[in-house]
Each structure stands twice: as C-alpha cells, then as structure tokens.
Amino acid sequence: MWMKKQKVLLAVVLFLLVFLIFFLSWKKSEEQTKIYKSADVLMGTNFYGTVYGGKEDVLPELAEQLRRLETEQLSWREETSEIGKLNSVSGQEAGENISADTFGYLKEILEIAKRSNGALDPTIGNISRLWDFGGADEGLPSQEEINALLEKRGYEKLIIDENSIFLPEGMSLDLGAVGKGIGADRAAQFIQSQEGIEGAVIALGGTIALIGSRPDRKPWNLAITNPRGKEGEILGVLKLSGEYFISTSGDYEKFFMVGQKRYHHILNPKTGYPAESGLISVTVVCDSGLKSDGLSTACFVLGLKQGMELLEEYGSEGIFVDEEKNVYITEGLKSLFDLKDLSYKIVE
Amino acid sequence: MKEKKAMIGISIFLCLVFICSLLFLICMYREKGGGNAYACIYQDGILVKTVSLEKEDTFLIEGKNGAYNKISVKNGSIGVTEASCPDFLCGRMGYISKGPIPITCLPNRLVIEIEGEREAGEADGVVY
C-alpha cells in the first residue's frame, strides 16, 4: 500500500519539477527582450543609449539624427546651422530660413528666461565663450572683459514673433544650457516612432530620457551623481515609473580651481560669473527634455527658494543639494528617492 | 524486489533531473549577474573592445585619419596615456575604475565606460 502512496508522491514531485522548470524558463524567456546599447560622443557630450526590443538596432540612425540636429540647427560653432546663421545676422530681422522646430525651441527657452527672471539666458553666448569651460582657452577672465560683454546680452532684447526673430547687433545666442535637453526630446520622438520598442533610456550629458517601460515593468532606477563624492559615487537613487526627462546641473561637471575658489560652468547671466546661489546640484524631473535641462540650470542660478517656486510654476519636480550637504526634495519625489550617501541630510 | 529496483531507478532519475535543472538555472542567472569589473570601449558609437580590469594591459585603438588613443589598464583602473587629439582631455581625466562618468575623447569619438561591479551598476541610467 505504501508503495502506491510513494509512487503518487513521486509523480507529484516529478510534475512539480517539470512545472518549475517550464515556469522558470518561461520567465527567463520573457526577460530576454533584445537589448541594444551604444555609447558615443554626440552634441559635444557623452551619449548613452539602451533600447529594449525592436526589430533592429536603431541607435546608429538616432546618432545620425542627433548629429544633424547639432550641425544643422543648434550649434553656434557651425556657421551654417540655424543658430549660427542667426548670430551672423544680429542687428537685422531674420527668420526666413529658420525651421518651425527651432522657432518652437527658441520660444520655449525665452519663456523659461522670462519666468526665471533671466536666470536662464540664451543670449550669454559671448560670455560663455570667454570662459570657455572645458575648452582650450579655459581660464579666469578679467572683470573688464566680462563687463564689456555683459552689455551685449539680455534675453529681454531678443524679439521672437510668429515668423521673425530679432537679435540686437553684437549679441550671440548659445543654446548650450538646453541643447542636450532638446536632443533628448528628439531622441524620445524618434524612439517612440519606431515599431516594437518596449522601452529605452537615452542619456545626453546631464539629461536622461526615459521612454516606454522596462521589460520587467519595474520602475526605472536612476542614479544621481554625488556632487562631492569620489569618482563613481552616487548621492542616491530615484525610482520612476513612466516617461520622464531628468536633468542635473552641478558645479562639479566642468570647473577649474584658482587657489581655493571653484569656477564652475553654470554662469549667472546677470554677473557673468559662475552662479553662487548656495546650491551645488539641482536635479529636475519633468515631461520635456528642453524644460528639464533649462529649469535645472535656472534653478541652480536662482537658488533653493526661487528655484522651488519656478518648479512649482512649471508643475515639475526636483532635488536640490546645498553646500552644507542638505538635500531638499519636492513633494512628488519624496517617496521615490532613496538617499545612499548618508553624509548628506534630507531636510523636510 | 523488482519494484524496489524500479523505485531506486526513478529516484536516481529524479535526482538527475533536479541536479540538471539546478545547474541550468545557476548558469542562466550567473550570466545575468555579470562578474568582475570590465571596461567597454566604444568608437563612433560601436563597441570595439571589452577589456577586463583585472589584468594589466596596454593597447592602441586606432581611428580614421591616423587618430589613435593609447589605453592602459593597471591596478583595476583604465585610462588614456597617449592620444592624437589636440586637447588631450581624455588623458587629463586620469584613470577610472568605477564609473559612472566615462572617459571620452571628443575629437576621436571614443568612449571608455565601466561595466560590471560598481555602485551605480544597478541603475538604468546616471544623471551627472
């Protein structure tokens, strides 16, 4: 009798084992969405792309599109780009050869400039070229040099109508503060137009686009760089489900030291010098790359209080870090951010 | 007696099935978990070389029109020691071992990125 019982037991165990194997291999095969990766240098910054799913690797085509966006539209370095052409005809009404896209970008940038009271200013091209952070001529300019160029800036003097743009003579546009964000927007549009892609993460410098979803449907994990950490250290992890654009602006990206003083690349358009708002890093999460990129720069310049107000006006979320290593998080991100470096303190 | 033999046979068979499936699963999950730190070298957006950071090594990555970057691996880190680019910013970045910030050479369109064990390794992306 017990022999029969044992046989039944064995059959059950065998069945369970087979079931387990099938279940685990099914789960594994579900995980095996094809993954395409690329790392490159595009739009003057690091580009990373990870694409989950899709019929073929679309990253080379995306790289080509971003290269064209840079050389044909946004770069002030290229005389033939739309921004290059606008700069070359400063003092005259222009706009005939400007694409609807670029018009749209400029209008949106001007809107952020107005709402931030000039903390983001697309007309500081001459001054950022003088500092040349990360370039061959990087160095501390004299006060006289800066003063001379301060007169040749001012977003309020830039006039954008329906079909025309007027940039006063001698002024120069520089979309450096939002270029990566525009690139991330373009990348998201491109990925969304492709068939069969489940999700993608595209990073261009300090801006990341989260597109679609992870193959396992779990939230995306985004590491935020530790502004005062050693190489590779992170401040914390942000868990986000859905499609978002995230940008960080910090004083640790491009800078040089003169004695004990740090000169970083985020310039206060009003003074022509690196912003000293007490913040060392600002991360912004919102629904567009141009906005997240532009707002993170503007918030960095404005400081904590005004920066928070600006984000509220735009319905965006953010994480601010000040020089005392205090971390301030907007309401919507509080439960999604996990602080890893405990030398920092979250202030409620 | 016959039945007992059959039972032993079935038991051995079951054990084998169990061990095999266990091995199979271990292999599958190990492949996912990665292992030691290694660096991926991309040129023009394409992965051209993967190198372990465990072993000392020096090699040359050549590009178009005589462009080159001489790359060294030592003490678990990787860096550019010599390059054809005029600014040599890639070399000025020194050696990296953990990421997340990669070494990039803009003129030669070269990116050196650390994969595998690192603090931000679990992340889908790093904002910096």
Side-chain angles (χ1 to χ4, degrees):
Chain A
M1 203 53 195
W2 67 271
M3 277 296 210
K4 202 175 175 189
K5 243 187 193 172
Q6 236 168 16
K7 267 185 196 166
V8 172
L9 198 70
L10 270 174
V12 168
V13 169
L14 191 67
F15 175 76
L16 280 177
L17 266 175
V18 170
F19 178 77
L20 188 76
I21 291 165
F22 270 100
F23 174 73
L24 288 173
S25 12
W26 165 74
K27 210 172 161 239
K28 181 75 188 171
S29 73
E30 197 191 42
E31 282 171 16
Q32 268 171 351
T33 305
K34 196 127 177 63
I35 301 172
Y36 302 98
K37 276 189 174 197
S38 172
D40 204 338
V41 184
L42 296 169
M43 302 181 74
T45 191
N46 301 318
F47 165 89
Y48 286 104
T50 307
V51 174
Y52 298 98
K55 287 183 189 137
E56 52 176 358
D57 188 1
V58 296
L59 287 165
E61 200 187 328
L62 173 61
E64 189 46 42
Q65 285 212 10
L66 292 177
R67 236 190 312 280
R68 288 223 307 272
L69 173 68
E70 163 84 346
T71 55
E72 294 171 11
Q73 288 180 258
L74 304 181
S75 176
W76 59 263
R77 286 186 178 85
E78 307 278 340
E79 280 176 21
T80 53
S81 79
E82 294 181 37
I83 295 301
K85 279 183 204 158
L86 280 173
N87 285 341
S88 69
V89 294
S90 67
Q92 301 166 40
E93 196 159 290
E96 278 170 23
N97 303 321
I98 304 304
S99 66
D101 281 351
T102 304
F103 254 107
Y105 301 146
L106 286 171
K107 281 181 190 164
E108 218 171 316
I109 295 162
L110 197 56
E111 184 62 28
I112 301 176
K114 283 177 187 161
R115 291 210 208 178
S116 67
N117 195 21
L120 178 81
D121 192 332
T123 65
I124 60 162
N126 291 321
I127 304 174
S128 41
R129 251 154 271 168
L130 178 65
W131 285 88
D132 196 29
F133 286 99
D137 298 323
E138 179 181 274
L140 180 60
S142 71
Q143 184 70 58
E144 289 74 36
E145 285 175 293
I146 290 177
N147 286 347
L149 294 179
L150 277 176
E151 288 167 18
K152 288 186 176 142
R153 55 143 278 277
Y155 69 95
E156 60 278 14
K157 296 177 208 156
L158 173 69
I159 301 162
I160 304 176
D161 287 331
E162 217 37 61
N163 299 307
S164 73
I165 295 173
F166 177 74
L167 181 70
E169 195 172 356
M171 274 174 51
S172 175
L173 289 172
D174 182 348
L175 305 193
V178 286
K180 282 73 180 170
I182 295 172
D185 283 333
R186 187 64 70 88
Q189 284 165 8
F190 172 78
I191 297 281
Q192 279 154 352
S193 72
Q194 304 297 310
E195 250 178 80
I197 292 176
E198 287 178 49
V201 181
I202 304 293
L204 254 178
T207 297
I208 285 191
L210 301 176
I211 306 146
S213 60
R214 269 170 64 124
D216 59 7
R217 303 282 180 264
K218 283 182 188 156
W220 300 106
N221 289 315
L222 272 191
I224 294 173
T225 297
N226 189 332
R228 290 290 179 268
K230 284 192 224 85
E231 185 230 319
E233 288 178 349
I234 65 170
L235 174 70
V237 175
L238 196 53
K239 283 189 186 298
L240 293 169
S241 298
E243 303 204 323
Y244 290 103
F245 292 83
I246 303 98
S247 298
T248 294
S249 290
D251 65 356
Y252 53 87
E253 294 167 67
K254 284 179 192 164
F255 67 92
F256 59 84
M257 304 290 285
V258 177
Q260 288 298 306
K261 195 159 172 61
R262 179 189 289 247
Y263 291 92
H264 63 80
H265 79 295
I266 305 170
L267 298 173
N268 181 341
K270 295 213 167 73
T271 63
Y273 279 92
E276 290 183 45
S277 62
L279 296 174
I280 57 174
S281 157
V282 178
T283 299
V284 172
V285 180
C286 67
D287 59 1
S288 121
L290 188 156
K291 273 193 240 163
S292 67
D293 205 3
L295 289 175
S296 68
T297 305
C299 288
F300 189 96
V301 173
L302 285 173
L304 179 65
K305 191 172 170 288
Q306 284 176 290
M308 285 272 191
E309 284 165 9
L310 182 66
L311 287 193
E312 208 174 324
E313 212 178 299
Y314 269 95
S316 300
E317 303 287 341
I319 298 171
F320 294 65
V321 185
D322 73 11
E323 285 163 342
E324 268 80 55
K325 291 190 161 186
N326 294 313
V327 181
Y328 303 85
I329 308 171
T330 56
E331 214 46 53
L333 294 182
K334 273 185 180 156
S335 61
L336 306 174
F337 182 68
D338 185 11
L339 185 71
K340 296 282 186 197
D341 183 340
L342 300 177
S343 70
Y344 290 81
K345 197 174 98 225
I346 293 178
V347 179
E348 294 294 333
Chain B
M1 211 47 198
K2 217 177 180 182
E3 270 193 22
K4 205 173 179 183
K5 259 189 185 164
M7 281 299 295
I8 292 168
I10 289 170
S11 303
I12 290 170
F13 172 72
L14 274 181
C15 283
L16 279 175
V17 168
F18 186 70
I19 290 165
C20 284
S21 55
L22 213 65
L23 281 174
F24 181 57
L25 283 175
I26 288 169
C27 288
M28 282 203 306
Y29 283 92
R30 256 185 67 172
E31 151 196 347
K32 199 180 138 196
N36 296 320
Y38 59 97
C40 291
I41 300 164
Y42 292 86
Q43 192 177 40
D44 297 336
I46 295 158
L47 181 69
V48 290
K49 194 175 171 79
T50 306
V51 52
S52 163
L53 299 183
E54 308 289 297
K55 212 172 82 200
E56 288 205 4
D57 198 1
T58 299
F59 52 89
L60 209 61
I61 299 284
E62 284 173 297
K64 287 172 204 140
N65 306 323
Y68 71 91
N69 296 74
K70 194 172 177 184
I71 297 166
S72 277
V73 179
K74 64 173 186 191
N75 306 327
S77 62
I78 186 164
V80 177
T81 51
E82 208 185 302
S84 60
C85 54
D87 52 13
F88 196 53
L89 285 174
C90 50
R92 277 165 57 187
M93 284 192 70
Y95 282 77
I96 61 169
S97 58
K98 281 189 282 185
I101 299 180
I103 291 177
T104 38
C105 179
L106 255 82
N108 297 351
R109 268 187 78 193
L110 186 95
V111 181
I112 305 172
E113 191 198 16
I114 308 289
E115 292 267 359
E117 281 174 0
R118 63 176 193 193
E119 200 179 1
E122 299 287 299
D124 295 298
V126 184
V127 264
Y128 54 84

